[in-house]
Amino acid sequence: LDGEAMAQIQVRLDSLTKPQGSLGQLEQLAKQLGGIQRTSGPKILKKAVLTMAGDHGVVEEGISAFPQEVTPQMAYNIMNGGAAINVLARQANAEVILTDVGIAFPVEGSLINKRVANGTQNMTKGPAMTRRQALQALLAGAEVAEEKIREGYNLFATGELGIGNTTPSSAIVSILTNSAVEDVVGRGTGIDDAGVIRKRRAIEKAIEVNQPDKTDALDVLSKVGGLEIAAIAGSILQAAASHVPIIIDGFISTAGALIAAKLAPKSMAYMIPSHGSVEIGHRKALAGLGLDPILNLDMRLGEGTGAAITFYIVESALHILEEMATFADAGVTEKTV
Amino acid sequence: LDGEAMAQIQVRLDSLTKPQGSLGQLEQLAKQLGGIQRTSGPKILKKAVLTMAGDHGVVEEGISAFPQEVTPQMAYNIMNGGAAINVLARQANAEVILTDVGIAFPVEGSLINKRVANGTQNMTKGPAMTRRQALQALLAGAEVAEEKIREGYNLFATGELGIGNTTPSSAIVSILTNSAVEDVVGRGTGIDDAGVIRKRRAIEKAIEVNQPDKTDALDVLSKVGGLEIAAIAGSILQAAASHVPIIIDGFISTAGALIAAKLAPKSMAYMIPSHGSVEIGHRKALAGLGLDPILNLDMRLGEGTGAAITFYIVESALHILEEMATFADAGVTEKTV
């Protein structure tokens, strides 16, 4: 990040008619945006939610409350504008960019086709993907981000769609944050107690069968990850490489962000947190990235919904930086004690 | 609240293409709005931040980082559109309604004049206000809310302006939540360690001198409160009486909300939380109302700034209720496990 731009923004923030630092995270966001864009006057031009879709062979283990056919059904729902992410992106004046990185059944319509496979393999029986597939999915995410940056988008939100994808996310978070499996396995879309036990067992078995190397994020990603999780990581890496900030959505997105952070630690400086999910492993995953959630809405929907709400708050930070009066302009006395 | 409307909204929310309950607080907000407006199709028409301004005799005790002249200066800044609350209200498409309930020096311009006194008296030497003044200030807040409701506003945010006003707020919160003074006294606009000690002593002395009756909220308000805090309480009571929801801003606003809740416990159902302030007593105050903050922005500015950001999230809740597709419409399979 550009320290000079950030220092200039700090001076400006401290000249505004408010106690120094009293706008907390809004001030931090303004500085972060300036540091990323390398200017004391950061601007948001076009915003997009990059929703990556993929399926998971591990659904065979009975780890999800919804059947796999819901992934393509929800892809159509997003293309038709009826999903929660469409509603929240519309409110934020942002686009939803849906990418198929590997839905089990091909879908047609207004989405980007970057299919790597018909979903992953069942990770309890072997690797979810080959290392080559993981790389392909990572590159797919990077390509989508790069294309949108070329079109003038300069603020992203991550998002995803994929029945069963809290299971690989829990596996990744467990491995990369050194957490016990039981501490990072939640109810996903709403599985019952027996389902939670099956989910834990599936993750434990996948780790035992595949022996992922925690020092090699690509190994973890390919063995116990997901195609859409790889694409999220890729979109984050490309955003960072192109000096574009990216808002990290919930649990699955944060698992993708952990992969990105392991592959390129500097990418963390381009991440903006959004909400704290109900999914129990999310706090651990965020802590692994040094991120504190801004929103406390008890959400657990995915698609990019928490990140989409956060667009507004990032814009609040820039409005404050641009529009507030200074002590000098407004004739307000500065702090005396 | 209208239980029938809320039940209808619950049915609708559960028919939308998302796991049941997965939008957490957004779903709760949609139900709360419907219950308050007594309809399954709640709408937000016009939004206003009701910023109440008043001064505090206790500033003589050296409890604030800024001199008292900043209250009128900031009132002019708000009237000129240069304060943080103006920026955030503009972004939210909301009006800022500034009311002078008792600034020490009269100000002129586009604000509502409901002056009860030239600020409060120094509460370390006797009551901050007479009981009659406290009632007048309470009614002033109610009148402003009533007038705005008549003009078609149907969603409010509380806000305030008044140098020194975390001191009476800490006193109120200490008394009404049975908290030790030291647990609810923070740095306000940024006072140093010596100032924090003076502030604690001032509050302890005010409580000792005045012996407020914790079972009589009006007694607490008049002896150790503030004119703008009374007006905030009044605006909340009027909003509740008129079936209009009101978003509670930070520490001072929450002290006002505690007074309102003691005077009329049913008013709590009309309160919507906003942010969790840096001011250390805020969590205790919110807990006293059963409110969980939605935003975690480390803010401590006041004016209504945290509540103004929350307008957007309340609107998110209604967009979700209105615009999302149902499982039936979108042809998405419902939960199977």
Side-chain angles (χ1 to χ4, degrees):
Chain A
L1 305 196
D2 180 347
E4 179 61 32
M6 293 174 80
Q8 284 171 17
I9 289 173
Q10 185 66 61
V11 169
R12 163 92 184 153
L13 288 168
D14 290 344
S15 75
L16 302 176
T17 46
K18 57 173 183 53
Q20 286 192 11
S22 62
L23 283 174
Q25 293 304 315
L26 292 187
E27 302 192 25
Q28 297 304 318
L29 283 170
K31 274 192 284 185
Q32 185 183 3
L33 269 275
I36 290 172
Q37 293 190 5
R38 302 170 171 268
T39 169
S40 59
K43 301 263 182 262
I44 297 166
L45 305 171
K46 291 162 75 179
K47 305 181 289 288
V49 185
L50 305 179
T51 303
M52 307 295 179
D55 270 312
H56 298 270
V58 72
V59 295
E60 290 172 1
E61 306 299 317
I63 48 75
S64 178
F66 286 84
Q68 194 170 56
E69 70 208 49
V70 168
T71 307
Q73 288 170 348
M74 283 300 300
Y76 284 112
N77 193 22
I78 290 176
M79 289 190 273
N80 290 329
I85 190 57
N86 302 105
V87 174
L88 295 172
R90 206 147 53 218
Q91 186 189 6
N93 193 26
E95 293 295 317
V96 178
I97 311 297
L98 179 64
T99 301
D100 177 2
V101 205
I103 301 175
F105 320 96
V107 295
E108 290 177 0
S110 56
L111 83 177
I112 299 176
N113 182 344
K114 298 270 184 191
R115 295 176 60 78
V116 172
N118 299 323
T120 57
Q121 300 298 305
N122 183 341
M123 68 183 187
T124 67
K125 298 178 176 170
M129 297 170 266
T130 63
R131 196 172 172 97
R132 183 187 169 82
Q133 285 175 322
L135 256 178
Q136 278 182 303
L138 219 126
L139 284 172
E143 285 164 10
V144 170
E146 191 186 26
E147 188 182 320
K148 292 298 145 188
I149 291 166
R150 227 182 301 118
E151 292 174 14
Y153 290 85
N154 73 346
L155 179 61
F156 292 134
T158 67
E160 44 56 49
L161 170 63
I163 292 301
N165 66 9
T166 57
T167 297
S169 300
S170 294
I172 290 169
V173 171
S174 168
I175 295 164
L176 295 186
T177 68
N178 295 308
S179 303
V181 168
E182 63 191 36
D183 290 341
V184 294
V185 171
R187 294 184 182 275
T189 48
I191 205 160
D192 60 14
D193 288 346
V196 170
I197 291 167
R198 287 194 298 274
K199 195 168 162 181
R200 280 188 206 153
R201 282 202 194 130
I203 293 167
E204 283 158 359
K205 195 168 165 204
I207 292 173
E208 195 190 308
V209 165
N210 292 294
Q211 295 289 321
D213 175 1
K214 69 167 74 177
T215 66
D216 177 356
L218 209 54
D219 192 60
V220 174
L221 179 63
S222 57
K223 286 175 174 169
V224 300
L227 294 157
E228 79 280 43
I229 298 170
I232 288 166
S235 67
I236 293 169
L237 293 176
Q238 183 62 57
S242 302
H243 302 295
V244 168
I246 185 160
I247 305 171
I248 310 300
D249 192 43
F251 185 58
I252 298 115
S253 284
T254 309
L258 278 170
I259 298 287
K262 290 289 173 186
L263 292 173
K266 284 188 179 169
S267 67
M268 284 191 275
Y270 296 81
M271 299 177 189
I272 295 171
S274 62
H275 75 120
S277 168
V278 170
E279 192 66 23
I280 63 165
H282 194 214
R283 301 279 161 155
K284 280 198 163 36
L286 285 170
L289 296 165
L291 297 178
D292 253 337
I294 290 172
L295 290 163
N296 175 31
L297 287 166
D298 302 331
M299 284 165 56
R300 53 181 173 86
L301 174 57
E303 299 176 4
T305 46
I309 295 176
T310 308
F311 280 138
Y312 181 86
I313 295 167
V314 176
E315 291 176 322
S316 297
L318 298 196
H319 285 300
I320 287 290
L321 183 65
E322 284 170 22
E323 300 172 30
M324 266 185 79
T326 63
F327 282 101
D329 290 345
V332 174
T333 308
E334 297 202 44
K335 187 174 163 180
T336 51
V337 176
Chain B
L1 304 194
D2 179 347
E4 180 61 29
M6 293 175 80
Q8 284 172 14
I9 290 174
Q10 185 67 60
V11 169
R12 162 92 184 153
L13 287 168
D14 289 345
S15 75
L16 301 175
T17 45
K18 56 173 183 54
Q20 285 192 10
S22 63
L23 283 174
Q25 293 304 314
L26 293 187
E27 302 191 25
Q28 297 304 318
L29 283 170
K31 275 191 284 185
Q32 185 182 3
L33 270 273
I36 290 172
Q37 293 190 4
R38 302 170 172 269
T39 168
S40 59
K43 301 263 182 260
I44 297 166
L45 304 172
K46 291 162 76 179
K47 307 181 288 288
V49 185
L50 305 180
T51 302
M52 306 296 178
D55 269 313
H56 298 270
V58 72
V59 295
E60 290 173 0
E61 305 298 317
I63 47 75
S64 178
F66 286 84
Q68 196 171 54
E69 71 207 49
V70 169
T71 305
Q73 288 170 349
M74 283 300 300
Y76 284 112
N77 194 22
I78 290 176
M79 290 190 273
N80 290 329
I85 190 56
N86 301 105
V87 173
L88 296 172
R90 207 147 53 219
Q91 185 189 6
N93 193 26
E95 292 296 316
V96 178
I97 311 297
L98 179 64
T99 301
D100 178 1
V101 205
I103 300 175
F105 319 97
V107 296
E108 291 178 357
S110 55
L111 85 177
I112 299 176
N113 183 344
K114 296 273 184 190
R115 294 175 61 77
V116 172
N118 298 323
T120 56
Q121 300 298 306
N122 184 340
M123 68 183 188
T124 67
K125 298 179 176 168
M129 299 169 265
T130 64
R131 197 173 171 96
R132 185 187 167 82
Q133 286 176 321
L135 257 178
Q136 278 183 302
L138 217 122
L139 285 173
E143 285 165 10
V144 171
E146 191 186 24
E147 187 182 322
K148 293 298 147 189
I149 291 165
R150 227 181 302 117
E151 292 174 15
Y153 289 85
N154 73 345
L155 179 61
F156 291 134
T158 67
E160 43 56 49
L161 169 64
I163 292 301
N165 67 7
T166 58
T167 297
S169 300
S170 293
I172 291 169
V173 172
S174 167
I175 295 164
L176 295 185
T177 69
N178 294 310
S179 303
V181 168
E182 63 190 37
D183 290 341
V184 294
V185 171
R187 295 184 182 275
T189 48
I191 205 161
D192 60 14
D193 288 346
V196 170
I197 290 168
R198 286 194 299 274
K199 194 168 162 181
R200 279 188 208 155
R201 282 201 195 130
I203 293 167
E204 283 159 359
K205 197 170 165 202
I207 293 173
E208 196 190 307
V209 165
N210 292 294
Q211 295 290 323
D213 175 0
K214 69 168 73 178
T215 66
D216 177 356
L218 209 53
D219 192 61
V220 175
L221 179 63
S222 57
K223 286 175 173 169
V224 300
L227 294 158
E228 80 279 44
I229 298 170
I232 288 166
S235 66
I236 293 169
L237 294 176
Q238 183 61 58
S242 302
H243 303 295
V244 167
I246 185 160
I247 304 171
I248 310 300
D249 192 43
F251 185 57
I252 298 114
S253 285
T254 309
L258 278 170
I259 298 286
K262 291 289 173 187
L263 293 173
K266 284 187 179 170
S267 67
M268 283 191 277
Y270 297 80
M271 299 177 189
I272 295 172
S274 61
H275 74 119
S277 168
V278 171
E279 192 65 23
I280 64 165
H282 193 213
R283 301 281 162 156
K284 280 196 166 31
L286 285 170
L289 296 165
L291 297 178
D292 252 338
I294 289 172
L295 290 163
N296 174 30
L297 286 166
D298 302 329
M299 283 165 56
R300 53 181 172 86
L301 174 56
E303 298 175 4
T305 47
I309 296 176
T310 309
F311 281 138
Y312 181 85
I313 295 168
V314 176
E315 291 176 322
S316 297
L318 297 196
H319 285 301
I320 287 290
L321 183 65
E322 284 170 23
E323 300 173 28
M324 265 185 79
T326 63
F327 282 101
D329 290 344
V332 175
T333 308
E334 297 202 44
K335 188 174 163 182
T336 51
V337 177

